């Protein structure tokens, strides 16, 4: 199960957009889930799950030139 639920992810993105003083703000959030199991001749020896997030924010400011 992901650590960050979709409704919470949307809340994070919306709060970043709301806090931005820029004329235009784009927020991108990516989630990656990975897992692995190691085996030897007797069976599984280790397993692990990882989840990582990447947030990117792009803003546009309109100057005197438009």
């Amino acid at each position: 199960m992901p650590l960050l639920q979709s409704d919470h992810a949307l809340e994070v993105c919306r709060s970043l957009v709301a806090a931005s003083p820029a004329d235009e703000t784009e927020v991108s959030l990516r989630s990656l889930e990975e897992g692995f199991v190691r085996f030897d001749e007797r069976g599984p020896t280790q397993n692990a799950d990882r989840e990582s997030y990447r947030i990117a924010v792009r803003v546009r400011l309109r100057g005197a030139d438009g």
Side-chain angles (χ1 to χ4, degrees), residues 1 10 13 15-16 23-24 32-33 38-39 44 47 49 63:
M1 183 166 108
L10 185 57
C13 292
S15 66
L16 289 170
D23 297 310
E24 296 178 21
L32 176 64
E33 292 181 72
R38 290 188 178 147
F39 292 90
N47 68 335
D49 294 323

Side-chain angles (χ1 to χ4, degrees), residues 10 17-19 25-26 29 34 36 44 46 48 55-57 62 64:
L10 185 57
V17 169
T25 303
E26 176 184 283
L29 187 146
E34 298 177 294
F36 71 87
Q46 179 184 19
I55 295 179
V57 179
R62 290 196 181 96

Side-chain angles (χ1 to χ4, degrees), residues 2-65:
L3 297 175
L4 186 62
Q5 299 295 320
S6 61
D7 57 339
H8 188 231
L10 185 57
E11 180 183 326
V12 169
C13 292
R14 284 184 174 162
S15 66
L16 289 170
V17 169
S20 173
D23 297 310
E24 296 178 21
T25 303
E26 176 184 283
V27 176
S28 171
L29 187 146
R30 293 183 185 197
S31 172
L32 176 64
E33 292 181 72
E34 298 177 294
F36 71 87
V37 178
R38 290 188 178 147
F39 292 90
D40 68 8
E41 61 276 354
R42 295 178 305 252
T45 60
Q46 179 184 19
N47 68 335
D49 294 323
R50 290 190 292 189
E51 187 165 356
S52 61
Y53 300 95
R54 191 174 287 195
I55 295 179
V57 179
R58 184 168 52 175
V59 297
R60 183 173 181 179
L61 302 171
R62 290 196 181 96
D65 297 331

